[in-house]
């Protein structure tokens, strides 16, 4: 029997797939190395949520696919059940909350996967996740984007009508297992992959070409850059090192 999807103070969540159809241009430099056409799948999860392990496993499965950037964000609102998620941070919870209005939802829930900032689903069924990835809007209008050698290189598009947020993400590509000693998953060891350890807004892109130096990632972590419409909007380009 499948466990109920969790909302704070609520029960089962419905699957919500919403295509926003947004096409925005992004940042750039004279010689970008990569097109930035990754499909970004963000999982909002909690070690205190009994419904989340299947979604964690599905994120791990798709993380090995070429062309997919899978990111696991730990949220904080289930910490009150007796186990504090060791990866959760309030800013990750806020990122999830920012998605809810654009995606037509009444509030955050776990597990939740968001594809390219445009489509939302629970993520516990791999077939549904495959369909969401296949149906994600192709990022054709965004600028070229690359992350390499301590630089973010974004191709300029002066015709861009909308400014985009530049997000830096640090994540651990390894599988990490966490023994949970309390809460709904007490006694279980939960596997996580591509856990996000840092999320920083670097600034706002306004269509200009850009070569932005960034600090090296901590040992064992990778860097991703997301170019995204503000306030939980669509991701227009993404790249990882």
């Amino acid at each position: 029997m499948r466990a109920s999807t969790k909302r704070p103070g609520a029960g089962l969540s419905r699957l919500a797939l919403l295509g926003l159809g947004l096409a925005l241009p992004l940042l750039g430099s004279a010689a970008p190395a990569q097109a930035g056409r990754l499909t970004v799948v963000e999982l909002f999860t909690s070690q205190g949520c009994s419904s989340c392990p299947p979604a964690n496993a599905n994120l791990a499965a798709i993380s090995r696919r070429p062309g997919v950037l899978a990111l696991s964000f730990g949220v904080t609102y289930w910490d009150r059940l007796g186990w504090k998620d060791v990866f959760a941070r309030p800013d990750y919870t806020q990122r999830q909350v920012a998605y809810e209005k654009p995606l037509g939802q009444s509030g955050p829930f776990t597990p939740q996967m968001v594809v390219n900032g445009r489509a939302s689903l629970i993520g516990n069924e791999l077939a549904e996740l495959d369909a969401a990835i296949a149906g994600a809007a192709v990022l054709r209008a965004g600028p070229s984007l690359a992350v390499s050698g301590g630089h973010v290189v974004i191709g300029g598009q002066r015709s861009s009508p909308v400014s985009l947020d530049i997000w830096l993400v640090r994540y651990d590509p390894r599988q990490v297992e966490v023994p949970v000693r309390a809460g709904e998953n007490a006694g279980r060891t939960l596997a996580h992959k591509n856990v996000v350890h840092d999320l920083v807004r670097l600034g706002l892109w306004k269509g200009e070409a850009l070569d932005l130096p960034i600090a090296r990632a901590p040992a064992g972590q990778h860097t991703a850059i997301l170019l995204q419409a503000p306030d939980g909007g669509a991701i227009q380009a993404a790249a990882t090192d």
Side-chain angles (χ1 to χ4, degrees), residues 92-105:
Y92 304 164
T93 302
Q94 185 54 46
R95 181 170 177 83
Q96 183 187 23
V97 169
Y99 275 132
E100 300 312 292
K101 184 176 180 180
L103 293 176
Q105 295 168 179

Side-chain angles (χ1 to χ4, degrees), residues 81-97:
L81 296 182
W83 176 258
K84 181 175 173 55
D85 189 305
V86 300
F87 300 128
R89 285 182 19 176
D91 52 330
Y92 304 164
T93 302
Q94 185 54 46
R95 181 170 177 83
Q96 183 187 23
V97 169

Side-chain angles (χ1 to χ4, degrees), residues 170-187:
R170 308 286 197 187
Y171 67 96
D172 186 347
R174 298 165 294 186
Q175 180 161 304
V176 180
E177 297 189 352
V178 178
V180 178
R181 298 184 176 86
E184 290 189 349
N185 290 312

Side-chain angles (χ1 to χ4, degrees), residues 199-226:
L199 175 68
V200 179
R201 182 180 176 274
L202 297 180
L204 194 65
W205 174 74
K206 298 181 179 180
E208 71 279 13
L210 186 66
D211 187 333
L212 181 67
I214 56 173
R216 289 183 177 274
Q221 295 183 23
H222 284 190
T223 298
I225 297 292
L226 312 178

Side-chain angles (χ1 to χ4, degrees), residues 143-155:
S144 56
L145 172 65
V147 184
S148 180
H151 288 261
V152 176
V153 179
I154 309 166

